[in-house]
Amino acid sequence: MSVEPKLTRFNQSVLSKYQIYNSIFMTLPFDAVTKTGVLLPLFHETCKKGFEQGDDPTTIVDTFFTKYQARRNKESQINLLFRFIQYIERQVVLFDAIEDASFSTVNNMEGVGTLRNLKGSARSEGKLEELKDFLEEFKVRIVLTAHPTQFYPGSVLGIITNLTDAIKRNDLTDINNLFGQLGKTPFFKHKKPTPYQEAKSLIWYLENVFYETFGEIYNYIQTNIYDDGKKHNDIINIGFWPGGDRDGNPFVKPETTLKVAKKLKKAILKKYYQDLKVLRKKLTFRGVEERIIRLETIMYEYSINLKTKKAISAKELRTELLSIRDIIVEQHQSLYVNEINELINRVHLFDYRFATLDIRQDSRIHHNVFTTVIDHLIEKGSSSFPKNYHDLSESEQIEILSKADDSIEDLEVFEDEMVRNTLKTISVIKDIQKSNGERGANRYIISNNQTALNVMQLFSMLKIVAFKDALTVDVAPLFETIPDLENAPGVMEQLYQNPEYMAHLRARGSRQHIMLGFSDGTKDGGYLMANWGIYKAKELLTEMSRKYDITAIFFDGRGGPPARGGGKTHNFYSSLGPTIEDKEVQITIQGQTVSSNFGTNDSSQYNLEQLISSGIKNRIDGEKNRLSNEDRSVMNELAETSYQTYKDFKSHAMFIPYLERMSTLKYYAKTNIGSRPSKRGKSDKLVFSDLRAIPFVGSWSQLKQNVPGFYGVGTALKMYEDRGEWDKVINLYNNSKFFKTLLENSMMSLTKSFFDLTKYMAKDEEFGEFWKIIFEEYQITKRLLLKLTGYDELMENEPAGKASIQVRESIVLPLLTIQQYALKKVQELEKAGVAADNPEKLIFEKIVTRSLFGNINASRNSA
């Protein structure tokens, strides 16, 4: 049977349905919605034509009111703009739901990169045993983070889920009711969520998506690839940051971490209870029924009260389920054996932890805490730490730290709250391991890691506080900035040469977890250099680790867009070659990326299988992906040139003022979407190093300039064009899937840019020249990427993906116009010297803040 092209499937299943359902939405029996639904198309057309003829947002808004709503007073105009914003937010939700409902139609669920396709290819090529061997040692871990890029509150996420289901069923009554609910439901939060509330929001995905899809994937591998009844490698697992990530978040306390761990355990016990409840109705056989009922009762009570005396361990649960399965096979003709196998597999995957809770804190906090701890121990007459400890060299301090055998029994002796909480968190890790199993919390990540001393301070602190007998925690340095990435191999060798640290690694299976930060790497070094810097760091870290017989486990801190390491990540992992350790793929999944890539069972299963297959593809194509010396030289020079271009751009006198006054940067803190402060420092003055990657990248996205996703790429390519060496870039593009993936992801950033929106800034006396610098780099990059790829237009190779972007950008065009109109009004009022609490200024600032939500949600991976 022939299959329609992907673009055709998109147009039929997504675009056509959106047009139909949007017309229904416009007729909702709510007075405000009805009037808005009639006027919005007129405003949309005014925006479209206005930008085509070079008008600025202020002129476009004024033209609309003059032409279509001349009788409205100023207050009424403002009210209509707010209603437009609310309406467009709901159009985005509608499009999200339709796209989610059509996911399995638009994407081939058995095509390239899926497990079924992998199995078929392996069998036809006689490589099924090789596939089994690979799956036995390879792992994928997605780590859910609490970073604030999800602008939908939980109530709206629930509506999207129900709407997606109703659209799949084509249930017009249900759809109409959900449209009504959507029209009445607020889209923004009046208060910031607490870290625990963030955790609960993400646990919803564990319960409603990942429990199902992880189980389905693992069941398929067990049944269709191995089919031997034995327990095999848990190829997919999940990590969790909400409640454990302290980096820059003063609201995460030790009590929060413990509370989240308990919630995770209760959630998984509840899922086991629900499965047992279903099984009880099927396994009504002699010798089986009463045992299933017993387990169901135990799981029910355990999920409510973790201290119940009826509790059994995860190992006991598995053993009992295996025993029941044996009876079913031997005495009851294997009836419902697949169903009980599915539960056994899920218990194997999730144990009593559901997800592994990571702890993260900044090295500078650790240093201050540890200095206090050392001073306390010295004062108490420590035998490990000499009085002149702080005057010793780094290597001397590391030697002392590696052998320190002190212990601190009473953490309350420390008056400083940060010291007390940091140390209590270590105790909490041990408590979680006792309750949820060792993998409930067994990794501690050090942000801003710069030296081996940073690692050894935590290594020693863990043992001094709670893990004196055996350290069952992996210490993971996080390297983020370009200089830190370059220094990383030296840092790790210093650690590998320490006998005590090496003994710890041997006890942990000779594996070293190393995290690399794409988000802050890009903010620091620009798009090309961040990716190339991490690639080179991984190569050197792999070589260094293998030299000491250690397996490096790389954990990539990625955001949604290419500017933060996002984009087509499975293409990235399938292109790394043999010089980078590839036993595991570990990536952060956050905010919109959770809902857009893993928000439904179909999208979750598809994207997880793509990640699994990327590792297999990289193993198969290993030598093909190896960079030649010439290609490596070209890549290196492109990255260095791009880096210098980006650094010059960052150091421009207008860089910080432009972000501060012409973008939406300062409005992110007002959205109440995350518990974490929007910047690191406490200074009122904007300092680049204090900027978090999310609002930084998001602000460029709101401007539709997407600078971090392309800036410097065009200048670097032009250097080779000017030198008459364009053929070298062509060779690199043709030879390197890694380079090709980077450029294709950068194309996405360019595709989502729309400089007509801010063209008016070119005439600004203060910022005009700076805007032109950005626009010129955009034009150079676009021209040369099209020249290199041979495309007539950006993303020509992904027509369905491009079509989705175009629809979303079209939906929010009026929203973007309103945002820029309001920003301009704020700027004019500030220049006129009005007070900060001026009512008119506050109204326009509110418009800017409210417009952030719809723009972010429509982009799906803009921050």
Side-chain angles (χ1 to χ4, degrees), residues 418-702:
M418 179 60 78
V419 174
R420 213 167 45 246
N421 283 342
T422 303
L423 300 179
K424 279 185 178 178
T425 297
I426 293 172
S427 293
V428 162
I429 296 172
K430 193 155 193 179
D431 292 338
I432 293 170
Q433 290 191 354
K434 287 176 185 174
S435 170
N436 296 19
E438 187 200 301
R439 288 172 65 187
N442 67 346
R443 181 165 66 181
Y444 200 129
I445 297 155
I446 310 166
S447 301
N448 191 47
N449 197 98
Q450 297 180 333
T451 65
L453 182 61
N454 293 151
V455 174
M456 292 308 296
Q457 284 175 333
L458 177 60
F459 175 76
S460 182
M461 201 157 31
L462 286 162
K463 293 198 292 182
I464 287 172
V465 174
F467 293 91
K468 190 163 187 173
D469 296 331
L471 180 52
T472 52
V473 179
D474 296 309
V475 181
L478 165 53
F479 301 104
E480 299 172 270
T481 66
I482 301 304
D484 288 349
L485 288 167
E486 291 171 351
N487 294 334
V491 169
M492 296 316 300
E493 180 160 42
Q494 198 173 352
L495 291 169
Y496 295 153
Q497 288 176 344
N498 183 279
E500 286 73 24
Y501 188 78
M502 184 59 90
H504 163 67
L505 290 182
R506 295 290 179 226
R508 304 294 294 163
S510 297
R511 294 147 63 86
Q512 171 66 57
H513 291 245
I514 303 171
M515 188 173 177
L516 293 313
F518 281 80
S519 297
D520 281 293
T522 305
K523 181 171 83 80
D524 180 58
Y527 179 69
L528 269 189
M529 179 50 97
N531 283 276
W532 179 237
I534 288 174
Y535 184 97
K536 287 195 299 180
K538 282 186 175 182
E539 284 190 316
L540 293 171
L541 287 165
T542 297
E543 183 183 7
M544 185 64 69
S545 298
R546 287 174 179 171
K547 175 181 169 184
Y548 291 92
D549 194 27
I550 296 294
T551 300
I553 305 297
F554 294 119
F555 173 28
D556 292 339
R558 295 179 175 276
R564 294 187 56 232
K568 300 288 185 181
T569 49
H570 55 274
N571 286 347
F572 178 90
Y573 288 109
S574 67
S575 70
L576 295 179
T579 55
I580 292 177
E581 198 69 74
D582 63 350
K583 294 282 173 57
E584 293 197 25
V585 169
Q586 293 197 13
I587 57 173
T588 52
I589 306 291
Q590 56 192 255
Q592 296 161 292
T593 317
V594 179
S595 56
S596 60
N597 288 4
F598 301 93
T600 67
N601 287 354
D602 286 339
S603 63
S604 175
Q605 181 170 337
Y606 181 83
N607 285 303
L608 282 167
E609 290 189 14
Q610 291 291 323
L611 280 173
I612 293 170
S613 71
S614 71
I616 296 170
K617 180 73 172 163
N618 185 55
R619 186 70 60 89
I620 293 168
D621 293 346
E623 285 304 318
K624 276 196 242 172
N625 290 332
R626 187 188 289 272
L627 285 170
S628 68
N629 289 337
E630 184 177 354
D631 284 341
R632 180 178 290 274
S633 175
V634 175
M635 183 72 227
N636 204 59
E637 191 175 19
L638 286 170
E640 290 289 350
T641 305
S642 170
Y643 182 33
Q644 190 56 53
T645 305
Y646 181 74
K647 280 204 299 183
D648 291 345
F649 176 65
K650 273 197 311 179
S651 62
H652 193 288
M654 288 294 106
F655 182 82
I656 293 294
Y658 184 81
L659 272 177
E660 199 166 23
R661 287 156 52 198
M662 304 300 278
S663 84
T664 59
L665 182 67
K666 63 186 177 184
Y667 297 92
Y668 267 75
K670 301 177 182 181
T671 55
N672 293 326
I673 53 166
S675 66
R676 210 166 62 156
S678 60
K679 66 187 185 75
R680 289 185 172 88
K682 295 179 181 178
S683 170
D684 291 335
K685 187 179 178 184
L686 186 60
V687 180
F688 183 77
S689 58
D690 286 346
L691 277 178
R692 294 194 183 284
I694 290 167
F696 174 72
V697 171
S699 297
W700 290 112
S701 173
Q702 294 279 330

Side-chain angles (χ1 to χ4, degrees), residues 12-240:
Q12 291 172 346
S13 301
V14 180
L15 185 56
S16 297
K17 279 187 179 179
Y18 173 70
Q19 290 165 344
I20 293 167
Y21 287 130
N22 189 42
S23 64
I24 296 172
F25 188 49
M26 287 171 65
T27 63
L28 280 175
F30 302 124
D31 183 55
V33 174
T34 305
K35 288 180 179 177
T36 308
V38 171
L39 292 172
L40 184 57
L42 295 173
F43 183 54
H44 186 282
E45 191 62 24
T46 305
C47 294
K48 188 179 172 188
K49 285 184 177 176
F51 286 122
E52 284 173 357
Q53 60 194 33
D55 291 343
D56 61 82
T58 303
T59 301
I60 289 169
V61 172
D62 290 344
T63 299
F64 169 75
F65 283 121
T66 302
K67 191 172 181 181
Y68 298 108
Q69 296 288 295
R71 294 183 180 178
R72 285 184 184 268
N73 60 29
K74 285 292 180 185
E75 184 181 354
S76 179
Q77 289 179 3
I78 293 294
N79 287 337
L80 182 61
L81 292 180
F82 273 115
R83 290 216 303 273
F84 280 160
I85 291 170
Q86 293 165 347
Y87 190 94
I88 293 164
E89 285 174 337
R90 286 152 180 79
Q91 283 184 310
V92 173
V93 168
L94 173 60
F95 190 77
D96 279 348
I98 292 169
E99 203 162 39
D100 286 344
S102 306
F103 189 91
S104 60
T105 303
V106 175
N107 298 279
N108 186 351
M109 300 297 285
E110 297 187 3
V112 175
T114 65
L115 287 175
R116 284 159 183 78
N117 181 267
L118 276 174
K119 181 196 170 189
S121 299
R123 175 170 281 169
S124 65
E125 295 171 17
K127 294 182 177 179
L128 198 56
E129 291 307 312
E130 284 183 47
L131 177 61
K132 290 179 182 178
D133 290 342
F134 178 83
L135 292 175
E136 202 64 86
E137 67 171 6
F138 180 69
K139 288 181 188 289
V140 168
R141 182 189 294 192
I142 60 170
V143 180
L144 304 183
T145 82
H147 290 168
T149 56
Q150 176 54 270
F151 278 61
Y152 289 137
S155 54
V156 176
L157 286 173
I159 295 171
I160 294 174
T161 302
N162 294 334
L163 190 55
T164 299
D165 182 57
I167 289 167
K168 275 185 175 180
R169 292 182 282 107
N170 201 27
D171 186 334
L172 287 176
T173 302
D174 206 3
I175 290 168
N176 213 43
N177 287 337
L178 287 163
F179 279 171
Q181 184 183 354
L182 200 58
K184 297 279 191 179
T185 304
F187 269 54
F188 61 96
K189 302 165 186 172
H190 293 288
K191 284 188 193 172
K192 278 181 174 289
T194 66
Y196 182 67
Q197 287 169 336
E198 287 175 329
K200 282 178 67 178
S201 297
L202 282 176
I203 288 171
W204 184 92
Y205 287 99
L206 293 178
E207 294 173 316
N208 294 281
V209 180
F210 294 118
Y211 184 77
E212 298 299 323
T213 55
F214 274 47
E216 288 293 324
I217 290 170
Y218 191 67
N219 290 336
Y220 181 85
I221 291 170
Q222 285 284 92
T223 306
N224 293 281
I225 294 178
Y226 289 109
D227 194 22
D228 57 7
K230 296 177 183 176
K231 182 174 74 175
H232 291 279
N233 171 40
D234 54 336
I235 188 168
I236 43 177
N237 55 89
I238 193 158
F240 205 76

Side-chain angles (χ1 to χ4, degrees), residues 729-736 739-740 743-744 788-789 791:
V729 179
I730 292 173
N731 289 337
L732 174 62
Y733 180 78
N734 291 331
N735 296 339
S736 171
F739 183 57
K740 184 177 286 189
L743 296 192
E744 287 179 353
L788 181 58
T789 57
Y791 298 161

